[in-house]
Amino acid sequence: MSENKKPEKLSAVKGMNDILPADAPLWELFENTVQSVLKSYGFQKIVTPIVEDTSLFARAIGAVTDIVEKEMYSFTDSMNGDQLTLRPEGTAGVVRAVIEHNLVYEGPKRLWYKGPMFRHERPQRGRYRQFFQIGAEAIGFTGPDVDAEMIMLCRRLWDDLGLDKIRLEINSIGNAEERNAHRADLIAYFEANESLLDAEARRRLHANPLRILDTKNPAMQDLVNNAPKLLDYLKEESLAHFNGVRKILDHNNVQYTINPRLVRGLDYYNRTVFEWVTDELGAQGTVCAGGRYDPLVEHIGGKPTPAVGFAMGIERLIELMKLSGEPQEPNQCDVYMVHQGEEAQMQAFVLAERIRDAGLDVVLHCAAASGAGSFKSQMKKADASGAAYAVILGEDEIANKTAAVKDLRGKEGETVQQASVPFDQVVDYLVDEIVGAHDHDHDHVHYHP
Ligand code: HAM
């Protein structure tokens, strides 16, 4: 690089986003709400690696799916030649872990996870190449009760988040035998109408005709609407399961529509499938999706074990929260420490630690590229920090062993409260002021003993 040439600016990989501090409070609110709802239904956290063997996803999700055919970030490990993939979803890894550690054979498990997923899709609003999911998997449960419970967990979450523009679609895709009978009729139906199929559908006709029902092509909507419906092929057991789910949903006033074309884009599902959809986000309106996947555990090497789960797209739900006017809480702290001079800086460090010991959040002023900062510029930063109080240490304060404690929450026009507090009383003073104000002013207080 030549010395006078400015280094080129770098940007993030296309379709992969930075989540900036301004959005952090909303993400935190979202994640905390989901985690407390999951806990209230007895779900336990599991963390699995972001990278897995490519064969896991090919086997779990299915070779003839969009994800496996064209969306996976797969690579060869240059150290040893292993074929690896950045996970496109979380279910396969969780099931692999459950088998590997014999978790499920101890009894059924309710598990949840969160983290980044990777799919090489064409980026657009609500569709990214790195996106975040929170997912839940109930492994080892056979009945329709747990399917309904998972759906009700989601409903509680939308309620807690104040999101009312999300509707539920459900369907049953039966078992392999029922799908085979339907599949034969479906292929015959599409063959009889071959001139109406697009290239994608023609390619899928014999490999995975069910997925043709999922087409977004407007020219094919009439064709797929009139196609044989899988629901009509369900036999007694599958129907009983589906009706069992519906009975619990109905009894608990969960509103839903049955969408016979809902087939999901991953091959591991059987019986119940569901999607939570909104019209507020344009084309990418599915905010949460899942279903039962009884064959998967055995399919990737475990003993036959039924399971059901879902995953939600965090970016989509955050956008929905913004649209629904969820107030954005600014980043805040309790105390900003202002200081001038070396001795004051030493004392500021000691005081800040003691205030943190008492459970308050403290931002200590540190030198920036622009310099150590005058009192005036430090006070401006204190105001901008959203802190409730500034603790100020200068030469006079050091001489008197006191700190000036200034209330930054005073409204405009009011005289500003400032007290001179001996060093050894600063912590008690702040705790009294801040925790004492707790009942009156929720916005500014972050006290967490
Ligand atoms: P999925 O339908 O592929 O299912 O994804 C679940 C959710 O992740 C979608 O409804 C959407 O909100 C979000 N999502 C998917 N792709 C993107 C993307 N490119 N950009 C932004 N958000 C996206 C699964 O992943 C299954 N593992 C769900 C499951 C769990 N089924 C059983 N257990």
Side-chain angles (χ1 to χ4, degrees), residues 98-119:
V98 156
I99 298 170
E100 189 169 336
H101 303 286
N102 287 320
L103 284 189
V104 76
Y105 310 132
E106 303 159 0
K109 288 273 181 296
R110 289 179 172 86
L111 304 170
W112 74 272
Y113 55 90
K114 69 173 174 186
M117 308 292 160
F118 302 84
R119 296 184 195 175

Side-chain angles (χ1 to χ4, degrees), residues 67 71 88-92 113 117-122 124 126-133 135-138 150 264-266 268-269 275-276 284-293 308-317:
I67 296 180
E71 295 171 0
E89 58 99 55
T91 309
Y113 55 90
M117 308 292 160
F118 302 84
R119 296 184 195 175
H120 198 282
E121 296 190 82
R122 195 171 47 77
Q124 64 178 80
R127 189 165 75 190
Y128 311 107
R129 289 179 176 174
Q130 178 186 265
F131 58 97
F132 286 80
Q133 283 185 344
E137 316 291 352
M150 289 216 135
R264 308 279 301 125
L266 304 89
Y268 47 59
Y269 293 106
E275 291 194 352
W276 292 92
Q284 303 303 321
T286 307
V287 292
C288 176
R292 188 161 270 284
Y293 53 93
V308 54
F310 65 79
M312 58 188 93
I314 304 188
E315 286 85 352
R316 294 182 189 180
L317 283 158

Side-chain angles (χ1 to χ4, degrees), residues 13 31 55 62 150 153 207 218 290 299 303 316 319 329 370 374 405 422 435:
V13 175
E31 291 182 356
S55 59
M150 289 216 135
L153 183 162
H299 190 60
K303 295 182 203 149
R316 294 182 189 180
E319 198 186 340
E329 207 191 303
S370 52
S374 64
V405 181
V435 182

Side-chain angles (χ1 to χ4, degrees), residues 374-395:
S374 64
F375 261 132
K376 203 170 150 204
S377 79
Q378 290 192 38
M379 285 309 295
K380 267 196 195 155
K381 291 204 168 68
D383 277 327
S385 73
Y389 284 83
V391 170
I392 306 161
L393 298 173
E395 264 176 38

Side-chain angles (χ1 to χ4, degrees), residues 168-182:
L168 173 63
E169 296 187 353
I170 63 171
N171 191 21
S172 174
I173 60 167
N175 60 29
E177 195 189 313
E178 290 153 351
R179 279 196 302 279
N180 282 340
H182 170 251

